Amino acid sequence: MIDLLEPQAGESILDLGCGTGDLAAEIAATGARVHGIDADAGMIETARAKHAGSGATFAVADGHAFTLAEPVDKVFSNAALHWMTRPDEVIERVHAALRPGGRFVAEQGAGRNVATLIEGMRTAAAEQGLGDVVLPWYFPSTAEHAGRLERAGFEVRVALYFDRPTPLAPGDTVADWWRMFGPTTLAGFPAEAHDALLRRVDELVKDRQFRDGGWFADYARLRFVAVRR
Ligand code: BEZ
């Protein structure tokens, strides 16, 4: 992703959804002026402490509603946009943050991201009479997202969809993935139902998501480069 960004010394880059700032610091090491924003105050506190000497700056801001004092040359985002569930608002903010000709370079979960994990959760919840599964993510198809970018005034130069099966941490199962990344989904069900629900999810997906002694998540990525017209 950093190769695709092609950071240049002196140019200004916003890292949107920077998390704990590791990529922002890596980009700043090229000599670019990097500012990272994230809606999670704990992440920003960690980013400031961990990367104090990197030259990157960090602030708490919501991707749906941020403004910058000066337009930037590039906006970068990795594995964050799928947590922002009103994409047109985010794209409009990115457009406003870029100078004309500036680039939006990003990767996020794509249309069938974690489709097996979601299907397992839906099937298990239905079997156990728990009702609808509410998801906190935006996983668009390539065409859907490119259309949003074009309507907002971007020219899409790259749009790439690819699968990236990703091993879970040693010892973790798909149930642990749901506990870590889907607490808001689980909160839709009674707490006393969670253990049986997650055990059933593991059973349902094991034939597809367990191999060579370890569990995998079926990640699919959408990577794009768009230029502000
Ligand atoms: C991801 O695709 O990186 C992802 C999606 C949902 C939850 C956690 C990670």
Side-chain angles (χ1 to χ4, degrees):
M1 279 305 290
I2 295 179
D3 288 346
L4 195 62
L5 180 67
E6 296 179 326
Q8 309 291 319
E11 75 183 359
S12 52
I13 299 177
L14 175 73
D15 183 353
L16 173 56
C18 64
T20 55
D22 296 352
L23 290 179
E26 205 173 320
I27 297 164
T30 67
R33 291 176 292 125
V34 184
H35 182 57
I37 61 172
D38 201 288
D40 185 323
M43 295 272 187
I44 291 298
E45 203 179 315
T46 304
R48 283 182 175 144
K50 197 172 170 191
H51 301 295
S54 69
T57 57
F58 299 99
V60 178
D62 178 355
H64 300 91
F66 69 96
T67 53
L68 299 179
E70 298 282 337
V72 291
D73 297 309
K74 291 175 181 167
V75 174
F76 173 82
S77 187
N78 184 55
L81 293 172
H82 48 249
W83 291 100
M84 302 176 203
T85 52
R86 301 190 304 284
D88 293 322
E89 292 173 34
V90 176
I91 292 168
E92 190 271 328
R93 288 293 81 211
V94 171
H95 190 271
L98 281 168
R99 65 162 171 80
R103 282 178 176 238
F104 184 15
V105 179
E107 185 177 304
Q108 66 167 101
R112 286 191 52 77
N113 199 33
V114 290
T116 306
L117 275 51
I118 292 170
E119 183 204 304
M121 176 57 78
R122 288 205 168 113
T123 303
E127 282 177 3
Q128 296 178 11
L130 294 171
D132 287 346
V133 172
V134 180
L135 302 173
W137 307 302
Y138 163 65
F139 296 144
S141 74
T142 310
E144 176 188 354
H145 201 66
R148 289 184 193 278
L149 290 164
E150 287 180 356
R151 284 191 295 280
F154 284 96
E155 188 173 275
V156 178
R157 297 279 177 89
V158 173
L160 184 65
Y161 186 120
F162 57 98
D163 293 321
R164 185 195 288 146
T166 301
L168 302 187
D172 276 6
T173 71
V174 163
D176 298 300
W177 186 94
W178 273 107
R179 286 193 198 279
M180 165 102 63
F181 295 115
T184 60
T185 298
L186 291 174
F189 306 126
E192 59 276 16
H194 291 182
D195 286 348
L197 175 69
L198 290 169
R199 260 197 313 278
R200 183 65 181 138
V201 175
D202 274 349
E203 278 171 18
L204 286 165
V205 304
K206 188 166 186 181
D207 62 336
R208 283 161 291 169
Q209 301 310 129
F210 183 83
R211 53 189 173 273
D212 305 326
W215 290 80
F216 286 76
D218 53 336
Y219 285 171
R221 310 324 271 172
L222 175 60
R223 184 178 281 188
F224 61 85
V225 178
V227 176
R228 180 187 158 159
R229 287 201 293 266

